[in-house]
């Protein structure tokens, strides 16, 4: 991925003491006491902040938090997150109770070189989500440069991800750059064969994803609840399984389209079935064309795991979105665990580039103990999925215009 300026360009072009705004994703989950429950997003921001600090900039952090929809909502203030960031950076982090106007300007100009200030939730202003031109200009007002390090917010054309780039020299942050490079290696210019896993509950939420991937990958592994709909579309009785009967024709179209495009679709040849989705079940393993009518498919079976691992063995690159079964309740996590661990081993052996993300995928791969051994796991959710769907991301496009 090329066409954007990096932090190295920023430091070459901008003198110490300049006020630099960085768009981050500080939308982290908080507990009842205001403590951060999962600091992954803060951790990923640290490399950019350290680089800006070393260069001696006065750093303002822009972010949304929750969905206040243009109103000031005290429970959605970024003040507690500023505190958590201060602990992680090992330096005082100031907080300004507004992201524009005199409040923001005076807080930023009062910073020492290398100082950091979190500006209040951009979504307290209606102009943020409207990508309003006047609000974008106000955000840019007191700064000399803008860095976007929030890939997870890049699918939204908002003032702090998009409009602001009209008014300031714009650069790509370190985490954003790592994400774009991983995505480029996975789908932009991948080493082939390229295999994708698409799992999860429903086809209806992943139609664009299946369409785009079937045009680009060599093998498409379909698992989870959505595989049931494909099996039903092939004429198999899937018993009590989750199945979208309204999607049977769509499933057939996806399979026909994949065939004309030379993409092999791999459906689970066997399944772990049980009478209900509940803890304490002892599943029965059956062939996918022999599911008893009083049972439901809750995971891929052991033969399917062997076939999926073999597909990984013949791949150079793997893209993964969605679990292969109802992984939240053991033992229906087995196929996801075993195949994810296999992909992780091949990645560590240096024979596979593995990139995963979106929805429950991070939780499923971490549950398998495999996430840390993938080449790259995106925590971006919606932005990762939209990118996999082949949609342009306004926040990324705005970086590339520069
Ligand atoms: P998604 O958010 O679309 O990636 O879907 C993830 C959800 O799909 C998880 O909560 C899984 O429990 C669920 N899931 C996966 N396989 C099945 C299945 N065979 N039957 C019911 N739910 C499933």
């Amino acid at each position: 991925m090329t066409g954007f300026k990096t932090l190295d360009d920023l430091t070459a072009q901008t003198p110490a003491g300049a006020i630099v705004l960085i768009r981050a994703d500080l939308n982290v989950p908080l507990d009842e006491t205001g403590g951060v429950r999962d600091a992954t997003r803060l951790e990923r921001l640290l490399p950019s902040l350290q680089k800006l600090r070393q260069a001696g900039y006065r750093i303002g952090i822009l972010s949304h938090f929750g969905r206040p929809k243009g109103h000031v909502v005290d429970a959605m203030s970024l003040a507690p997150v500023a505190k958590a960031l201060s602990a992680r950076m090992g330096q005082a982090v100031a907080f300004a109770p507004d992201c524009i106007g005199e409040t923001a300007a005076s807080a930023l100009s009062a910073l020492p070189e290398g100082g950091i200030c979190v500006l209040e939730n951009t979504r307290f202003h209606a102009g943020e989500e409207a990508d309003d031109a006047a609000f974008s200009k106000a955000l840019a007002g007191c700064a000399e440069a803008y860095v976007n390090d929030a890939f997870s917010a890049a699918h939204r054309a908002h003032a702090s991800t998009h409009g602001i780039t009209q008014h300031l020299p714009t650069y790509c942050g370190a985490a954003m750059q790592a994400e774009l490079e991983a995505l480029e290696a996975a789908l932009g210019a991948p080493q082939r064969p390229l295999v994708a896993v698409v799992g999860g509950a429903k086809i209806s939420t992943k139609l664009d994803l299946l369409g785009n991937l079937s045009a680009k990958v060599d093998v498409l592994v379909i698992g989870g609840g959505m595989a049931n709909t494909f099996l039903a579309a092939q004429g198999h009785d899937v018993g009590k399984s989750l199945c979208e009967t309204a999607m049977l024709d769509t499933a057939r179209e996806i399979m026909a389209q994949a065939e004309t495009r030379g993409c092999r679709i791999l459906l689970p040849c066997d399944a772990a079935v049980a009478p209900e989705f509940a803890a304490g079940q002892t599943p029965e393993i059956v062939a996918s064309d022999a599911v008893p009518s009083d049972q439901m498919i809750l995971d891929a079976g052991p033969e399917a795991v062997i076939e999926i691992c073999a597909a990984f063995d013949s791949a150079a690159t793997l893209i993964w979105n969605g679990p292969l079964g109802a992984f939240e309740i053991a033992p229906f996590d087995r196929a996801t665990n075993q195949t994810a661990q296999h992909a992780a081993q091949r990645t560590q052996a240096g024979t596979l580039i593995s990139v995963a993300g979106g929805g429950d995928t991070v939780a499923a791969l971490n549950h398998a103990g495999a996430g840390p051994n993938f080449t790259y796991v995106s925590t971006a959710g919606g932005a990762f999925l939209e990118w996999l769907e082949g949609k342009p991301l306004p926040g990324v496009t705005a970086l590339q215009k520069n």
Side-chain angles (χ1 to χ4, degrees), residues 125-140:
H125 294 269
E128 164 69 337
E129 292 190 62
D131 199 16
D132 177 72
F135 180 67
S136 300
K137 201 168 176 196
L139 274 180

Side-chain angles (χ1 to χ4, degrees), residues 14-280:
T14 316
I19 294 177
V20 174
L21 290 177
I22 177 166
R23 176 56 160 96
D25 185 354
L26 302 183
N27 193 29
V28 291
L30 297 184
D31 60 28
E32 315 71 51
T33 64
V36 173
R37 263 194 291 118
D38 178 354
T40 313
R41 285 181 168 162
L42 300 189
E43 304 289 344
R44 292 205 174 175
L45 179 63
L46 298 186
S48 284
L49 288 182
Q50 278 150 359
K51 185 140 185 158
L52 298 181
R53 176 173 69 182
Q54 270 161 20
Y57 299 134
R58 289 178 286 162
I59 306 158
I61 304 181
L62 294 172
S63 178
H64 71 286
F65 189 60
R67 295 176 188 273
K69 302 220 171 282
H71 302 288
V72 175
V73 178
D74 289 343
M76 294 178 195
S77 170
L78 279 167
V81 187
K83 244 191 225 168
L85 189 62
S86 167
R88 277 179 177 73
M89 280 300 286
Q91 78 175 67
V93 170
F95 174 72
D98 200 353
C99 58
I100 55 169
E102 186 46 36
T103 309
S106 58
L108 291 173
S109 51
L111 288 173
E113 290 193 0
I116 302 173
C117 178
V118 170
L119 305 174
E120 185 57 291
N121 196 342
T122 50
R123 288 191 188 165
F124 281 1
H125 294 269
E128 164 69 337
E129 292 190 62
D131 199 16
D132 177 72
F135 180 67
S136 300
K137 201 168 176 196
L139 274 180
C142 53
E144 284 135 273
Y146 165 81
V147 174
N148 191 346
D149 211 23
F151 177 81
S152 51
H155 56 317
R156 313 248 185 254
H158 289 174
S160 69
T161 59
H162 180 261
I164 191 172
T165 64
Q166 308 288 318
H167 305 286
L168 289 173
T170 294
Y171 301 86
C172 177
M176 171 80 95
Q177 188 179 347
E179 182 106 25
L180 294 178
E181 283 168 359
L183 300 185
E184 180 69 6
L187 203 54
Q191 288 179 36
R192 290 184 183 271
L194 170 60
V195 174
V197 172
V198 179
K202 292 183 173 176
I203 294 183
S204 48
T205 58
K206 299 198 177 174
L207 281 178
D208 290 343
L209 181 64
L210 293 164
N212 189 43
L213 289 179
S214 71
K216 293 189 174 151
V217 309
D218 302 299
V219 181
L220 181 56
V221 176
I222 296 178
M226 75 169 69
N228 306 339
T229 307
F230 281 92
L231 292 169
Q234 287 181 332
H236 301 310
D237 179 1
V238 293
K240 281 168 48 188
S241 305
L242 176 70
C243 178
E244 291 172 281
T245 44
M247 284 284 153
L248 295 178
D249 281 341
T250 306
R252 282 188 275 267
E253 279 162 27
I254 293 169
M255 288 189 283
Q257 196 180 41
E259 196 174 341
T260 53
R261 290 167 163 178
C263 164
R264 179 166 78 98
I265 288 192
L266 183 56
L267 286 166
C269 58
D270 62 351
V273 300
E276 57 180 332
F277 180 35

Side-chain angles (χ1 to χ4, degrees), residues 199-202 205-206 224-225 228 242 277 297-299 322-328 359-360:
K202 292 183 173 176
T205 58
K206 299 198 177 174
N228 306 339
L242 176 70
F277 180 35
I297 299 172
L298 289 165
D299 198 12
L324 293 179
F327 75 101
E328 294 95 338
D360 277 348

